[in-house]
Amino acid sequence: MKDLFKEIYLSYGVNYFSDDCVLKNIIDYFDFNVDNEMHNLGNYVSTELIEGLDYIDHYAKPELQTWSITGKRIDYVRLSPHHREMLSKLQNFGIIRNSIKNDKISLINHFLSGYVISDSGIFCTFTLTEQTLYGLFKYGSEQLKAQYLNKFIDVKNPWYGATFYSELQGGSDIGNNNTLAVPTDGHYTLNGRDKYFASDAGIADASIVTAKTDLKQNGAKYISVYFVPAYFNDTLNYNIRRLKNKMGTVAVPTGEVEMNNSIGYILGDIKNGIYIAMEILTISRIDDAIAATGIARKALWEAYKYANIREAFGKKLIKHPLMRRDFIENEINLEAATILSFAAASSFEKSINSKPPYDDSYNYARILSHISKNMASSTANYITEYAMEMMGGIGFFEEFPMAKFHRDSIVTSIWEGTSNIQAIDAMESLFKKDTLEMLMNDMANKKKGFDEEISSIMDNSLEIIKGKINNMRKNNPEFYAKELLNDIGKLMAGVYLLDAGLSTNNEHFIKSGKLYFYINYGNRDYYDLIEDSDAIINWMNAE
Ligand SMILES: Cc1cc2nc3c(=O)[nH]c(=O)nc-3n(C[C@H](O)[C@H](O)[C@H](O)COP(=O)(O)OP(=O)(O)OC[C@H]3O[C@@H](n4cnc5c(N)ncnc54)[C@H](O)[C@@H]3O)c2cc1C
């Protein structure tokens, strides 16, 4: 039987890790220590995995079966056998278990795998599992860790995790949680019917759940965090009411979950609940940013391949000046968003031992997570949409990959906190944790190597940002919050891109870093530079 999948997916078979020259440059810049398995992961993702995920997306979504044949409540989320096999093959690349070695945790290879896999559905399962493992590792009691930690890093049958924070009446407004946790004989008993967006429900063997010990108290500071196994003594420990019908992220089931006298174990000091919840959320915010850029990369790669085949007006699409400009501009903006997202990952890794009340390293990672999630998700939304247009009518059809890329990208600006919430959280960090000064110092240090032209663009932009900040302090800060987050993200991404080029002497990033400033700050005709920049995109010719 012939496998014709590559006839509908042009970038089938490129290695999403090894053939990605931008990722390679980013790894050099941050000096990441890369697992040997990453090359094999790239190969697997661009062949079997994309085909399997495409199939799940169109024909084999997870389904909930509530009752067993003997009338027992089972809340079984049925995955296609192929879906189960894909999860287990991905586990074999060590995405989760390699993050713990010699009693230390490291997330860099997990973050890298997020870029390579990127699919918002299946990678969500790995994000949630990594978060659960991280929460347990860092904040579980010794007894809890002894009982559960090894299960997540088991080679044969590893456990999966989930984070049930959002409720019907409040996702952004987490302080409005309505789940009650009552201390009971060395654990807590949780009750609440409204965990309304519970991804990985049915896959997760244990979840991190937010609750309050007093429902009369409203506000984030009353939140505490619990480790809740899906089964207790072989009995369901919480229920899944139904699964959602979603426009994307199909390969992860998202359900409505009810805590029914569910047994949970507190993570960390109860007073620090909201901080711990947010720290765990910072991982998924960074994952989200990285995966968003990974999706956009796949979309741009696909469109680029198409433009090298499709002809209009007697020549290949890629030979038309306006198309080349489209590709180069999108490429550069994507590179900038990608490097900014990995800057957040790199910072988080440096802060990995920090605990409440936290040191500056964590505060910096957190502000970078807000900036990069906001920037990467909007860049991915735009690029997946425009890559569709670059393929003309073909881009719009569900039978080809672009529609799925776009549908999967849209959620990246919604979950883990919408862009407005990133902006509001960022304000708190900028003004109360003094991360504004850290950001300014980081940029000023990097600027030292820049030429006069770019330095002056930067100075102007910094002046505008400072002016806005002064204005914000006087007027309603929330009104201006996202404008500020966008401005900082736009500038920082360029600064990181150019700095990566200059500090590693990498011609590609030097060129794209400079072009980034000309394209986005528009004070120079950059036609001559674009004309000479085909190499910036030609690496996507890899077979
Ligand atoms: C596919 C999917 C899977 C998900 N999986 C999970 C999961 O596994 N676990 C989990 O805990 N959650 C999950 N979520 C929930 C997700 O994190 C929330 O939906 C999201 O954080 C937004 O919260 P909300 O839906 O309550 O929106 P709301 O809070 O009602 O927000 C609605 C709008 O109001 C805006 N808004 C709200 N407050 C403010 C404010 N103060 N200032 C300005 N604007 C504001 C928001 O930006 C948004 O545009 C998932 C969501 C989706 C779509």
Side-chain angles (χ1 to χ4, degrees):
M1 186 171 64
K2 251 185 152 182
D3 184 358
L4 296 176
F5 189 70
K6 47 174 142 339
E7 300 292 327
I8 55 179
Y9 205 118
L10 295 172
S11 41
Y12 181 93
V14 302
N15 187 311
Y16 284 132
F17 177 76
S18 310
D19 290 336
D20 189 324
C21 111
V22 172
L23 183 61
K24 186 180 170 306
N25 295 345
I26 287 175
I27 289 169
D28 287 347
Y29 175 53
F30 290 110
D31 203 16
F32 290 149
N33 194 357
V34 179
D35 268 2
N36 295 336
E37 278 297 333
M38 213 50 85
H39 171 83
N40 297 334
L41 175 68
N43 206 26
Y44 172 66
V45 173
S46 66
T47 51
E48 274 180 63
L49 192 78
I50 48 165
E51 184 168 2
L53 291 172
D54 183 84
Y55 195 84
I56 289 172
D57 185 69
H58 288 109
Y59 314 108
K61 66 178 185 189
E63 298 285 355
L64 176 67
Q65 181 155 350
T66 309
W67 303 101
S68 77
I69 195 164
T70 56
K72 192 170 73 167
R73 182 92 191 239
I74 50 172
D75 296 5
Y76 172 45
V77 172
R78 299 181 70 155
L79 304 181
S80 82
H82 190 195
H83 192 159
R84 288 177 174 282
E85 188 190 319
M86 289 192 295
L87 288 171
S88 120
K89 282 194 173 171
L90 286 171
Q91 285 280 15
N92 287 342
F93 291 105
I95 296 164
I96 302 296
R97 74 169 165 266
N98 288 350
S99 51
I100 295 201
K101 278 186 191 146
N102 305 326
D103 210 27
K104 289 203 171 98
I105 190 157
S106 161
L107 298 189
I108 286 301
N109 281 281
H110 166 83
F111 288 134
L112 285 168
S113 72
Y115 178 83
V116 175
I117 298 169
S118 70
D119 180 274
S120 305
I122 208 152
F123 188 62
C124 178
T125 292
F126 287 87
T127 295
L128 295 165
T129 303
E130 193 72 70
Q131 289 177 286
T132 310
L133 174 66
Y134 178 91
L136 177 64
F137 177 84
K138 216 165 150 182
Y139 295 105
S141 68
E142 287 309 316
Q143 197 187 351
L144 195 66
K145 280 161 70 169
Q147 195 174 350
Y148 290 106
L149 201 62
N150 279 337
K151 294 182 188 295
F152 286 89
I153 51 180
D154 185 55
V155 174
K156 278 201 184 131
N157 192 16
W159 272 28
Y160 292 88
T163 57
F164 302 158
Y165 288 15
S166 307
E167 298 187 0
L168 172 59
Q169 70 289 350
S172 314
D173 186 6
I174 192 177
N176 201 11
N177 257 209
N178 237 344
T179 301
L180 180 66
V182 177
T184 327
D185 297 336
H187 62 264
Y188 283 77
T189 303
L190 276 71
N191 277 291
R193 294 174 54 79
D194 294 318
K195 294 294 178 190
Y196 202 62
F197 304 88
S199 295
D200 242 13
I203 292 182
D205 299 284
S207 307
I208 291 186
V209 178
T210 51
K212 288 197 257 181
T213 50
D214 180 357
L215 292 185
K216 286 197 256 11
Q217 303 286 5
N218 196 7
K221 66 179 176 191
Y222 299 104
I223 290 291
S224 36
V225 186
Y226 302 86
F227 178 87
V228 181
Y231 285 86
F232 201 78
N233 289 340
D234 258 353
T235 311
L236 276 180
N237 194 27
Y238 51 78
N239 291 112
I240 304 170
R241 191 163 52 214
R242 71 176 189 110
L243 294 188
K244 309 284 198 186
N245 191 2
K246 299 175 289 177
M247 72 176 282
T249 71
V250 176
V252 63
T254 301
E256 293 169 13
V257 162
E258 298 174 353
M259 296 290 136
N260 289 329
N261 290 324
S262 309
I263 291 170
Y265 302 94
I266 191 138
L267 293 178
D269 187 331
I270 198 160
K271 292 194 302 292
N272 290 329
I274 186 61
Y275 301 112
I276 295 170
M278 289 300 119
E279 183 187 335
I280 292 169
L281 195 63
T282 301
I283 297 174
S284 51
R285 286 174 167 171
I286 297 171
D287 266 357
D288 181 81
I290 287 175
T293 61
I295 299 171
R297 166 58 62 206
K298 289 183 173 67
L300 200 62
W301 213 327
E302 189 68 17
Y304 178 80
K305 293 256 176 207
Y306 186 74
N308 277 276
I309 297 168
R310 169 82 171 174
E311 289 191 0
F313 301 97
K315 57 182 175 186
K316 300 266 162 46
L317 294 181
I318 195 67
K319 296 286 175 204
H320 290 278
L322 200 43
M323 283 297 275
R324 275 223 314 289
R325 178 176 178 172
D326 281 342
F327 273 109
I328 291 170
E329 290 186 356
N330 278 298
E331 170 67 28
I332 285 162
N333 286 339
L334 178 55
E335 289 180 10
T338 310
I339 201 161
L340 190 63
S341 305
F342 277 106
S346 170
S347 284
F348 189 81
E349 181 78 359
K350 287 181 189 142
S351 78
I352 213 147
N353 296 320
S354 183
K355 285 188 172 180
Y358 297 117
D359 59 21
D360 280 353
S361 69
Y362 172 76
N363 293 332
Y364 200 54
R366 206 192 109 191
I367 186 69
L368 284 182
S369 78
H370 299 311
I371 300 171
S372 62
K373 181 184 183 293
N374 179 52
M375 189 180 176
S377 57
S378 61
T379 304
N381 284 345
Y382 172 76
I383 289 182
T384 53
E385 185 191 324
Y386 195 67
M388 214 180 247
E389 183 176 330
M390 288 198 282
M391 291 179 74
I394 290 292
F396 194 67
F397 295 139
E398 275 290 347
E399 67 214 69
F400 302 115
M402 208 54 90
K404 176 177 181 305
F405 290 146
H406 188 50
R407 286 188 284 104
D408 279 349
S409 146
I410 290 170
V411 80
T412 62
S413 60
I414 299 175
W415 63 11
E416 322 307 339
T418 60
S419 54
N420 279 4
I421 296 306
Q422 299 308 318
I424 287 168
D425 284 0
M427 298 284 299
E428 196 253 348
S429 167
L430 288 173
F431 299 133
K432 293 199 184 142
K433 309 278 180 216
D434 286 337
T435 52
L436 182 61
E437 203 184 327
M438 291 185 228
L439 288 175
M440 293 298 170
N441 289 341
D442 189 8
M443 287 198 271
N445 279 335
K446 291 185 167 52
K447 194 187 98 166
K448 285 178 193 152
F450 297 178
D451 66 26
E452 236 174 82
E453 194 176 2
I454 308 277
S455 289
S456 112
I457 294 177
M458 256 190 89
D459 288 341
N460 286 342
S461 180
L462 280 170
E463 279 313 302
I464 292 169
I465 289 174
K466 282 180 196 155
K468 282 185 183 170
I469 289 168
N470 286 337
N471 195 23
M472 278 170 90
R473 289 195 199 268
K474 284 185 229 128
N475 297 307
N476 183 349
E478 282 192 13
F479 183 82
Y480 300 95
K482 198 153 72 185
E483 192 180 322
L484 183 67
L485 191 68
N486 288 338
D487 284 0
I488 294 177
K490 183 172 146 187
L491 185 61
M492 278 209 92
V495 169
Y496 267 94
L497 189 57
L498 187 54
D499 183 61
L502 293 168
S503 62
T504 61
N505 211 4
N506 178 296
E507 282 303 316
H508 180 123
F509 274 179
I510 293 176
K511 190 157 217 170
S512 49
K514 285 187 174 172
L515 266 168
Y516 179 90
F517 282 99
Y518 302 142
I519 290 167
N520 289 293
Y521 292 90
N523 61 348
R524 181 193 201 278
D525 181 351
Y526 49 87
Y527 167 79
D528 51 333
L529 287 168
I530 290 261
E531 276 298 286
D532 189 29
S533 295
D534 284 0
I536 284 181
I537 49 171
N538 281 355
W539 62 269
M540 285 189 286
N541 264 329
E543 288 298 326

